[in-house]
Amino acid sequence: MWDYLQNLSFWDWLGLGTVLLILEVFGAGGYLLWIGVAAAGVGILTYVIPAMSWEVQFLLFAVLSVLTALYWWRRQRSVLRQSDQPGLNMRGSELIGRTFAVHDAIVGGRGKIKVGDGVWMVVGPDTPVGNQVRVIAQDGAILKVEAV
C-alpha cells in the first residue's frame, strides 16, 4: 500500500476524477462534481510536477475540494439572490395589494374570493358577497383581507 501511495501518477488522479464525475451523473446532486474536478486538477498538477510527494498531492486534493465547493456554493447563493422574479413559487404574494370581489361571504372571519379561475380562502372582517376586499397578507394558502 505504501509503495502504491509513494508512486501515485497523474493517471490515478485523472481516473479518480473520472469515476467521481461518472457517479455524479447518476444523481449525487452536485456533491461529487467538485471533488471530481479537484481530483482532475491534482492530476494535471502531478503531470506538470511529477516529483510531487503523495502527501502534497493529498493536501492539494483536500484544499482544491474545499475551494471548488466553496466557490460553487457562493456562486449559487449570489445567483439565487439576484432572481428577476422574486415572487416565483410564492403563489399568493403577487396578490397582496390587489382588490377582489367576495365570492362566498366572509362570515365569522372566514370566506372566499375568486382570483382568476381559482378560489382562495380568506380571513378578515365580515363582508357580504360582491363587496370589494383588498389582500393585505398571506399565511400559507389563506389570504388576509380588509374591506375597501
Side-chain angles (χ1 to χ4, degrees):
M1 178 72 171
W2 289 108
D3 290 335
Y4 181 73
L5 284 177
Q6 292 176 353
N7 296 314
L8 281 175
S9 73
F10 68 95
W11 287 115
D12 298 316
W13 289 107
L14 293 177
L16 176 63
T18 302
V19 167
L20 290 170
L21 292 175
I22 289 171
L23 290 174
E24 175 63 35
V25 170
F26 291 112
Y31 297 108
L32 297 178
L33 174 66
W34 299 108
I35 298 172
V37 168
V42 172
I44 292 169
L45 287 173
T46 305
Y47 179 76
V48 173
I49 309 168
M52 195 181 327
S53 70
W54 69 271
E55 295 94 346
V56 173
Q57 291 177 27
F58 275 94
L59 182 63
L60 275 172
F61 175 63
V63 169
L64 285 176
S65 295
V66 170
L67 288 177
T68 54
L70 284 175
Y71 165 75
W72 186 251
W73 178 70
R74 282 189 172 175
R75 186 172 182 277
Q76 286 298 97
R77 282 189 47 203
S78 68
V79 168
L80 291 176
R81 271 192 245 136
Q82 298 172 358
S83 174
D84 59 342
Q85 297 177 350
L88 188 64
N89 293 331
M90 297 171 62
R91 275 186 67 204
S93 66
E94 72 271 4
L95 302 176
I96 296 174
R98 294 180 53 194
T99 58
F100 299 97
V102 175
H103 183 68
D104 287 347
I106 302 175
V107 178
R110 293 188 151 311
K112 294 181 182 178
I113 61 172
K114 186 162 179 78
V115 178
D117 63 348
V119 178
W120 284 77
M121 292 288 297
V122 296
V123 294
D126 290 355
T127 310
V129 174
N131 283 17
Q132 296 287 313
V133 292
R134 178 179 296 115
V135 178
I136 58 172
Q138 176 188 9
D139 184 20
I142 298 175
L143 300 175
K144 295 180 182 178
V145 296
E146 65 182 6
V148 174

